[in-house]
Amino acid sequence: MLIVQKYGGSSVANTERIKIVAQRIVDTYNLNNSLVVILSAQGDTTNELLAKIAEITSTPSKRETDMLLATGEQQSVALMSMAIQSLGYPAVSLNAQQVGISSSVTYSNARIEKIENARILKELAAKNIVIIAGFQGINSHGDITTLGRGGSDTSAVALAASLNANLCEIYTDVDGIYTADPRIVADAQKLTEISYDEMLEMASLGANVLHNRSVELAKKNNIKLVVRSSFVLDKGTVVKEKRKMESVYVSGVVSDSNVATISIIGIKDTPGMAYNIFSALALKKISIDIILQSVGRAGTKDIVFTLAESDLADALEVLGTQDDIITCEEITVNKDVAKLSVIGAGIEANPEVAPIMFGALFHANINISMIATSEIKLSVIIDQKDAKHGVQVVHDALIGENNQL
Ligand code: ADP
Ligand code: ASP
Ligand code: MG
């Protein structure tokens, strides 16, 4: 069987852990499997490299940033390959260039476009365990790109899809997907299964346990994804098309602090204003999330919307250059907000989820400034300082032992 395994930064954080993982890889290999292993950079390496950049410049070139960040993963794969060889087994480490992982041009947030299988298949045919650097690609300029923070998950799923692997296992420092980040909610429950759609919402709404693009790719290619612990033996959580519904309405509570709001106050209340604003932002590939428009008064209205805080500077620049078409009194920004969301395939069918969530926040004295709903999620914007507590009280009310559902 061909298996793709991915080990995250904490799983290869130091020599001792590299040796533990090497043994685990060898154990899987000994069960007569062909193995392709994707690794992240060791521990906090990526953050440390970013800190080094900050010592030099506050406006680094994205190309050079990717050039530097990609070295973290290359260290891991070479060390792992040596650890496996020291156990007496054949292994070879490869980077994106050597494999032929082509990506889009965009530095720091590239998308994988194509993977050449030939080199990997050649190494597998020679019975090698193939260890591949995650998080990186090569663009059409022949330059190294990176896939966005947490992107090694996406490298793994893309390789599993390209190689038509039977299974893609994501090894990390938790033993599966929980109903909330177990670091925030002590009694979060482990899910044995979760659907691609719910997992995609969870990942996109702030659960960084999986890179959201990896879930999108797994769904598109129908790849069975299993999230497991590198340290304890456990079946983990299976991410797949459909899961048993049981009586579960809500499968998770997440928060995301990488959110900001922009309020455009006193816009002329005439047709085309929303079009002007959002088409200008779309042109710069800035994704907008929740949009709220006030009732018109005295010929004007307000539009408030949320976006990723990391896109804020670009968005303000776009709006600033549209003075002639976006006539308004003022534009204000709030970075101290967070998005708190509940996700679950049963939300649409159960009208009680929303009032229970709002009630929990009310009793915790947490103010809601915006609300958005879809079939499988309910999101609210709250103050960033309330994010953790908000997750805890909403989890308690909807999922915890004394849940009101
Ligand atoms: P890796 O380095 O292995 O990629 P990450 O730090 O990216 O690991 O992801 C694992 C972390 O995700 C866990 O330590 C956990 O705190 C966090 N996390 C957030 N939400 C969840 C969730 N719903 N279930 C499990 N873990 C979660
Ligand atoms: N090393 C990269 C990061 O820290 C990629 C990853 O871990 O998936 O974001
Ligand atoms: Mg990760």
PDB file of all heavy atoms in Angstrom, residues 6 8-10 171-174 176-178 180-183 202 207-209, ligand 1:
ATOM      1  N   LYS A   6       2.492  12.894   7.010  1.00  0.00           N
ATOM      2  CA  LYS A   6       3.062  14.230   7.233  1.00  0.00           C
ATOM      3  C   LYS A   6       3.289  14.418   8.727  1.00  0.00           C
ATOM      4  O   LYS A   6       2.410  14.123   9.541  1.00  0.00           O
ATOM      5  CB  LYS A   6       2.128  15.300   6.681  1.00  0.00           C
ATOM      6  CG  LYS A   6       2.613  16.728   6.925  1.00  0.00           C
ATOM      7  CD  LYS A   6       1.864  17.411   8.025  1.00  0.00           C
ATOM      8  CE  LYS A   6       2.463  18.751   8.432  1.00  0.00           C
ATOM      9  NZ  LYS A   6       1.689  19.400   9.509  1.00  0.00           N
ATOM     10  N   GLY A   8       4.285  17.258  11.573  1.00  0.00           N
ATOM     11  CA  GLY A   8       4.362  18.706  11.799  1.00  0.00           C
ATOM     12  C   GLY A   8       5.572  19.103  12.628  1.00  0.00           C
ATOM     13  O   GLY A   8       6.331  18.251  13.108  1.00  0.00           O
ATOM     14  N   GLY A   9       5.732  20.407  12.802  1.00  0.00           N
ATOM     15  CA  GLY A   9       6.912  20.957  13.466  1.00  0.00           C
ATOM     16  C   GLY A   9       7.188  20.394  14.845  1.00  0.00           C
ATOM     17  O   GLY A   9       8.338  20.056  15.170  1.00  0.00           O
ATOM     18  N   SER A  10       6.146  20.241  15.667  1.00  0.00           N
ATOM     19  CA  SER A  10       6.391  19.753  17.027  1.00  0.00           C
ATOM     20  C   SER A  10       6.819  18.283  17.011  1.00  0.00           C
ATOM     21  O   SER A  10       7.519  17.813  17.900  1.00  0.00           O
ATOM     22  CB  SER A  10       5.143  19.935  17.895  1.00  0.00           C
ATOM     23  OG  SER A  10       4.038  19.400  17.228  1.00  0.00           O
ATOM     24  N   TYR A 171       0.324  13.651  11.069  1.00  0.00           N
ATOM     25  CA  TYR A 171       0.746  13.424  12.461  1.00  0.00           C
ATOM     26  C   TYR A 171       1.063  14.758  13.124  1.00  0.00           C
ATOM     27  O   TYR A 171       1.783  15.584  12.568  1.00  0.00           O
ATOM     28  CB  TYR A 171       1.983  12.534  12.499  1.00  0.00           C
ATOM     29  CG  TYR A 171       1.660  11.088  12.215  1.00  0.00           C
ATOM     30  CD1 TYR A 171       1.680  10.593  10.921  1.00  0.00           C
ATOM     31  CD2 TYR A 171       1.303  10.215  13.250  1.00  0.00           C
ATOM     32  CE1 TYR A 171       1.369   9.264  10.654  1.00  0.00           C
ATOM     33  CE2 TYR A 171       0.991   8.890  12.993  1.00  0.00           C
ATOM     34  CZ  TYR A 171       1.028   8.429  11.701  1.00  0.00           C
ATOM     35  OH  TYR A 171       0.712   7.124  11.450  1.00  0.00           O
ATOM     36  N   THR A 172       0.493  14.956  14.323  1.00  0.00           N
ATOM     37  CA  THR A 172       0.691  16.243  14.980  1.00  0.00           C
ATOM     38  C   THR A 172       0.799  16.048  16.493  1.00  0.00           C
ATOM     39  O   THR A 172       1.032  14.926  16.964  1.00  0.00           O
ATOM     40  CB  THR A 172      -0.440  17.219  14.560  1.00  0.00           C
ATOM     41  OG1 THR A 172      -0.201  18.481  15.164  1.00  0.00           O
ATOM     42  CG2 THR A 172      -1.823  16.714  14.935  1.00  0.00           C
ATOM     43  N   ASP A 173       0.647  17.161  17.259  1.00  0.00           N
ATOM     44  CA  ASP A 173       0.840  17.039  18.710  1.00  0.00           C
ATOM     45  C   ASP A 173      -0.471  16.830  19.467  1.00  0.00           C
ATOM     46  O   ASP A 173      -0.486  16.875  20.688  1.00  0.00           O
ATOM     47  CB  ASP A 173       1.598  18.261  19.248  1.00  0.00           C
ATOM     48  CG  ASP A 173       0.880  19.573  18.963  1.00  0.00           C
ATOM     49  OD1 ASP A 173      -0.168  19.547  18.298  1.00  0.00           O
ATOM     50  OD2 ASP A 173       1.384  20.619  19.397  1.00  0.00           O
ATOM     51  N   VAL A 174      -1.580  16.669  18.753  1.00  0.00           N
ATOM     52  CA  VAL A 174      -2.843  16.266  19.401  1.00  0.00           C
ATOM     53  C   VAL A 174      -3.285  14.951  18.749  1.00  0.00           C
ATOM     54  O   VAL A 174      -2.866  14.656  17.636  1.00  0.00           O
ATOM     55  CB  VAL A 174      -3.967  17.310  19.224  1.00  0.00           C
ATOM     56  CG1 VAL A 174      -3.890  18.397  20.262  1.00  0.00           C
ATOM     57  CG2 VAL A 174      -3.974  17.893  17.827  1.00  0.00           C
ATOM     58  N   GLY A 176      -6.050  14.024  17.482  1.00  0.00           N
ATOM     59  CA  GLY A 176      -7.170  14.083  16.546  1.00  0.00           C
ATOM     60  C   GLY A 176      -7.790  15.466  16.534  1.00  0.00           C
ATOM     61  O   GLY A 176      -7.265  16.409  17.122  1.00  0.00           O
ATOM     62  N   ILE A 177      -8.923  15.557  15.842  1.00  0.00           N
ATOM     63  CA  ILE A 177      -9.661  16.815  15.779  1.00  0.00           C
ATOM     64  C   ILE A 177     -10.635  16.841  16.954  1.00  0.00           C
ATOM     65  O   ILE A 177     -11.382  15.883  17.169  1.00  0.00           O
ATOM     66  CB  ILE A 177     -10.476  16.912  14.469  1.00  0.00           C
ATOM     67  CG1 ILE A 177      -9.615  16.603  13.240  1.00  0.00           C
ATOM     68  CG2 ILE A 177     -11.179  18.264  14.365  1.00  0.00           C
ATOM     69  CD1 ILE A 177      -8.617  17.641  12.879  1.00  0.00           C
ATOM     70  N   TYR A 178     -10.630  17.910  17.682  1.00  0.00           N
ATOM     71  CA  TYR A 178     -11.517  18.065  18.838  1.00  0.00           C
ATOM     72  C   TYR A 178     -12.638  19.069  18.547  1.00  0.00           C
ATOM     73  O   TYR A 178     -12.552  19.831  17.584  1.00  0.00           O
ATOM     74  CB  TYR A 178     -10.702  18.549  20.052  1.00  0.00           C
ATOM     75  CG  TYR A 178      -9.949  17.439  20.743  1.00  0.00           C
ATOM     76  CD1 TYR A 178      -8.826  16.873  20.139  1.00  0.00           C
ATOM     77  CD2 TYR A 178     -10.361  16.947  21.971  1.00  0.00           C
ATOM     78  CE1 TYR A 178      -8.131  15.853  20.767  1.00  0.00           C
ATOM     79  CE2 TYR A 178      -9.668  15.923  22.607  1.00  0.00           C
ATOM     80  CZ  TYR A 178      -8.548  15.382  21.996  1.00  0.00           C
ATOM     81  OH  TYR A 178      -7.870  14.369  22.620  1.00  0.00           O
ATOM     82  N   ALA A 180     -13.192  21.662  20.045  1.00  0.00           N
ATOM     83  CA  ALA A 180     -12.600  23.002  20.171  1.00  0.00           C
ATOM     84  C   ALA A 180     -11.112  22.772  20.403  1.00  0.00           C
ATOM     85  O   ALA A 180     -10.697  21.649  20.711  1.00  0.00           O
ATOM     86  CB  ALA A 180     -13.204  23.771  21.341  1.00  0.00           C
ATOM     87  N   ASP A 181     -10.316  23.824  20.258  1.00  0.00           N
ATOM     88  CA  ASP A 181      -8.883  23.679  20.517  1.00  0.00           C
ATOM     89  C   ASP A 181      -8.701  23.178  21.955  1.00  0.00           C
ATOM     90  O   ASP A 181      -9.072  23.871  22.901  1.00  0.00           O
ATOM     91  CB  ASP A 181      -8.204  25.044  20.338  1.00  0.00           C
ATOM     92  CG  ASP A 181      -6.684  24.944  20.435  1.00  0.00           C
ATOM     93  OD1 ASP A 181      -6.197  23.947  21.020  1.00  0.00           O
ATOM     94  OD2 ASP A 181      -5.997  25.859  19.963  1.00  0.00           O
ATOM     95  N   PRO A 182      -8.143  21.963  22.131  1.00  0.00           N
ATOM     96  CA  PRO A 182      -8.011  21.430  23.490  1.00  0.00           C
ATOM     97  C   PRO A 182      -7.129  22.285  24.400  1.00  0.00           C
ATOM     98  O   PRO A 182      -7.177  22.150  25.621  1.00  0.00           O
ATOM     99  CB  PRO A 182      -7.416  20.031  23.281  1.00  0.00           C
ATOM    100  CG  PRO A 182      -6.954  19.986  21.876  1.00  0.00           C
ATOM    101  CD  PRO A 182      -7.679  21.035  21.105  1.00  0.00           C
ATOM    102  N   ARG A 183      -6.350  23.194  23.805  1.00  0.00           N
ATOM    103  CA  ARG A 183      -5.557  24.109  24.646  1.00  0.00           C
ATOM    104  C   ARG A 183      -6.437  25.200  25.246  1.00  0.00           C
ATOM    105  O   ARG A 183      -6.048  25.862  26.199  1.00  0.00           O
ATOM    106  CB  ARG A 183      -4.476  24.798  23.816  1.00  0.00           C
ATOM    107  CG  ARG A 183      -3.342  23.878  23.445  1.00  0.00           C
ATOM    108  CD  ARG A 183      -2.369  24.690  22.595  1.00  0.00           C
ATOM    109  NE  ARG A 183      -1.752  23.842  21.604  1.00  0.00           N
ATOM    110  CZ  ARG A 183      -0.490  23.454  21.656  1.00  0.00           C
ATOM    111  NH1 ARG A 183       0.287  23.844  22.628  1.00  0.00           N
ATOM    112  NH2 ARG A 183       0.008  22.676  20.719  1.00  0.00           N
ATOM    113  N   MET A 202     -14.105  24.556   9.776  1.00  0.00           N
ATOM    114  CA  MET A 202     -13.316  24.702  11.001  1.00  0.00           C
ATOM    115  C   MET A 202     -11.947  25.278  10.690  1.00  0.00           C
ATOM    116  O   MET A 202     -11.471  26.210  11.357  1.00  0.00           O
ATOM    117  CB  MET A 202     -13.171  23.352  11.709  1.00  0.00           C
ATOM    118  CG  MET A 202     -14.206  23.172  12.790  1.00  0.00           C
ATOM    119  SD  MET A 202     -14.198  21.532  13.442  1.00  0.00           S
ATOM    120  CE  MET A 202     -13.339  21.561  14.871  1.00  0.00           C
ATOM    121  N   ALA A 207      -9.394  27.096  13.151  1.00  0.00           N
ATOM    122  CA  ALA A 207      -8.761  25.929  13.793  1.00  0.00           C
ATOM    123  C   ALA A 207      -7.518  25.582  12.989  1.00  0.00           C
ATOM    124  O   ALA A 207      -7.618  25.005  11.917  1.00  0.00           O
ATOM    125  CB  ALA A 207      -9.726  24.748  13.826  1.00  0.00           C
ATOM    126  N   ASN A 208      -6.354  25.945  13.504  1.00  0.00           N
ATOM    127  CA  ASN A 208      -5.156  25.783  12.667  1.00  0.00           C
ATOM    128  C   ASN A 208      -4.616  24.359  12.654  1.00  0.00           C
ATOM    129  O   ASN A 208      -3.525  24.107  12.170  1.00  0.00           O
ATOM    130  CB  ASN A 208      -4.069  26.772  13.101  1.00  0.00           C
ATOM    131  CG  ASN A 208      -3.752  26.620  14.570  1.00  0.00           C
ATOM    132  OD1 ASN A 208      -4.204  25.653  15.198  1.00  0.00           O
ATOM    133  ND2 ASN A 208      -2.988  27.535  15.127  1.00  0.00           N
ATOM    134  N   VAL A 209      -5.395  23.410  13.154  1.00  0.00           N
ATOM    135  CA  VAL A 209      -4.910  22.026  13.187  1.00  0.00           C
ATOM    136  C   VAL A 209      -4.699  21.477  11.768  1.00  0.00           C
ATOM    137  O   VAL A 209      -3.819  20.655  11.545  1.00  0.00           O
ATOM    138  CB  VAL A 209      -5.841  21.133  14.056  1.00  0.00           C
ATOM    139  CG1 VAL A 209      -7.263  21.134  13.565  1.00  0.00           C
ATOM    140  CG2 VAL A 209      -5.304  19.730  14.193  1.00  0.00           C
TER     141      VAL A 209
HETATM  142  P1  ADP B   1       1.732  20.859  13.387  1.00  0.00           P
HETATM  143  O1  ADP B   1       2.991  21.537  13.771  1.00  0.00           O
HETATM  144  O2  ADP B   1       1.754  19.393  13.638  1.00  0.00           O
HETATM  145  O3  ADP B   1       1.261  21.206  12.012  1.00  0.00           O
HETATM  146  P2  ADP B   1      -0.240  22.691  14.467  1.00  0.00           P
HETATM  147  O4  ADP B   1       0.226  23.509  15.616  1.00  0.00           O
HETATM  148  O5  ADP B   1      -0.310  23.327  13.128  1.00  0.00           O
HETATM  149  O6  ADP B   1       0.646  21.379  14.423  1.00  0.00           O
HETATM  150  O7  ADP B   1      -1.678  22.086  14.793  1.00  0.00           O
HETATM  151  C1  ADP B   1      -1.906  21.382  15.971  1.00  0.00           C
HETATM  152  C2  ADP B   1      -2.541  22.308  17.013  1.00  0.00           C
HETATM  153  O8  ADP B   1      -3.822  22.724  16.541  1.00  0.00           O
HETATM  154  C3  ADP B   1      -2.834  21.648  18.331  1.00  0.00           C
HETATM  155  O9  ADP B   1      -1.740  21.715  19.194  1.00  0.00           O
HETATM  156  C4  ADP B   1      -4.044  22.421  18.856  1.00  0.00           C
HETATM  157  O10 ADP B   1      -3.708  23.320  19.893  1.00  0.00           O
HETATM  158  C5  ADP B   1      -4.527  23.223  17.662  1.00  0.00           C
HETATM  159  N1  ADP B   1      -5.968  23.102  17.430  1.00  0.00           N
HETATM  160  C6  ADP B   1      -6.796  24.142  17.164  1.00  0.00           C
HETATM  161  N2  ADP B   1      -8.044  23.741  17.031  1.00  0.00           N
HETATM  162  C7  ADP B   1      -8.058  22.395  17.188  1.00  0.00           C
HETATM  163  C8  ADP B   1      -9.079  21.398  17.158  1.00  0.00           C
HETATM  164  N3  ADP B   1     -10.357  21.708  16.915  1.00  0.00           N
HETATM  165  N4  ADP B   1      -8.722  20.109  17.377  1.00  0.00           N
HETATM  166  C9  ADP B   1      -7.433  19.784  17.608  1.00  0.00           C
HETATM  167  N5  ADP B   1      -6.423  20.687  17.659  1.00  0.00           N
HETATM  168  C10 ADP B   1      -6.713  21.978  17.447  1.00  0.00           C
END
